[in-house]
Amino acid sequence: MHPLTAVSAGPLDDLAGHRLLVLLHGLGADERDLLPLAPELALDDAVVSLRAPLPWGPGFAWAEVRDDPTRRTGSMRPAAEAVLAWLDGATAALGEPAEVRLLGFSQGGALALTLLRLAPERFASAVVLAGFVPEDDEDDAALAAVRPPVLWGRGDADPVIPAAAIDRTSGWLPAHSALTERVYPGLAHGISIEEIADVRAFLA
């Protein structure tokens, strides 16, 4: 597993007292994939995009991808722990952010939910686009008590995320978050202009 690589949307020399938005790309992409979203969201946040630690295809992955049709994604916990360690280092070097928010696409969305499960007190909210809750066994009592705001956006024509993962996430999110769910007619495995507007409103 390679160390995480981070790239910011602007100068990043002081986090103390500022909001931080952490972008988590999807399978086979890299740390620059979601950066074009930053100006579209019109935020005052410092924005950092992380590169996943596992090489996969033309890019990187947050967890292994298996041939087993009953469990296609390996454990997200190692990557989540790596993100928490990166956040510890950034905080030590640049100061404690006022709050940290997460935005993940696909496998990055699964990672965002894993981070909420492992450390719900560290994150103010999460945006999960075309993502799902992993099958990892976790003690979610602390998360259910906090119930952070989560925006879950997905297309109803997504051919990538299995129906079983959607059903699992549909049952899990309402019990563990203050959920805002958006389903976009005709949208495949991607991010639409309408969805970006909803993300902007949610984060604002």
Side-chain angles (χ1 to χ4, degrees):
M1 181 176 287
H2 295 284
L4 298 187
T5 298
V7 60
S8 62
L12 191 67
D13 52 13
D14 181 17
L15 291 178
H18 299 285
R19 291 186 303 193
L20 172 64
L21 178 66
V22 179
L23 305 179
L24 306 166
H25 65 76
L27 178 66
D30 63 24
E31 70 278 14
R32 298 196 176 275
D33 185 60
L34 295 178
L35 271 186
L37 286 179
E40 298 291 332
L41 298 178
L43 300 172
D44 291 331
D45 301 39
V47 179
V48 172
S49 185
L50 301 181
R51 178 199 294 174
L54 302 175
W56 192 90
F60 299 87
W62 297 105
E64 65 176 325
V65 179
R66 300 170 171 172
D67 292 331
D68 183 352
T70 65
R71 187 180 172 98
R72 298 299 302 274
T73 303
S75 175
M76 288 280 173
R77 179 179 269 267
E81 290 174 344
V83 173
L84 292 173
W86 174 86
L87 186 58
D88 288 340
T91 298
L94 302 175
E96 185 72 38
E99 62 181 34
V100 180
R101 308 194 283 184
L102 301 167
L103 189 159
F105 176 76
S106 193
Q107 200 184 73
L111 178 60
L113 292 179
T114 302
L115 286 162
L116 292 185
R117 300 175 84 178
L118 293 184
E121 74 287 349
R122 297 193 67 170
F123 302 103
S125 64
V127 174
V128 178
L129 306 179
F132 55 94
V133 64
E135 296 176 276
D136 296 354
D137 291 327
E138 301 289 353
D139 181 354
D140 292 328
L143 178 60
V146 175
R147 293 173 60 88
V150 171
L151 171 63
W152 182 32
R154 59 186 177 86
D156 68 357
D158 189 333
V160 174
I161 307 302
I166 297 297
D167 291 343
R168 183 174 67 250
T169 307
S170 294
W172 183 87
L173 271 174
H176 298 90
S177 71
L179 176 62
T180 300
E181 183 177 357
R182 296 285 185 268
V183 180
Y184 302 95
L187 179 63
H189 196 64
I191 302 173
S192 68
I193 294 175
E194 181 184 3
E195 191 169 24
I196 291 173
D198 287 340
V199 173
R200 183 167 56 242
F202 176 81
L203 291 175

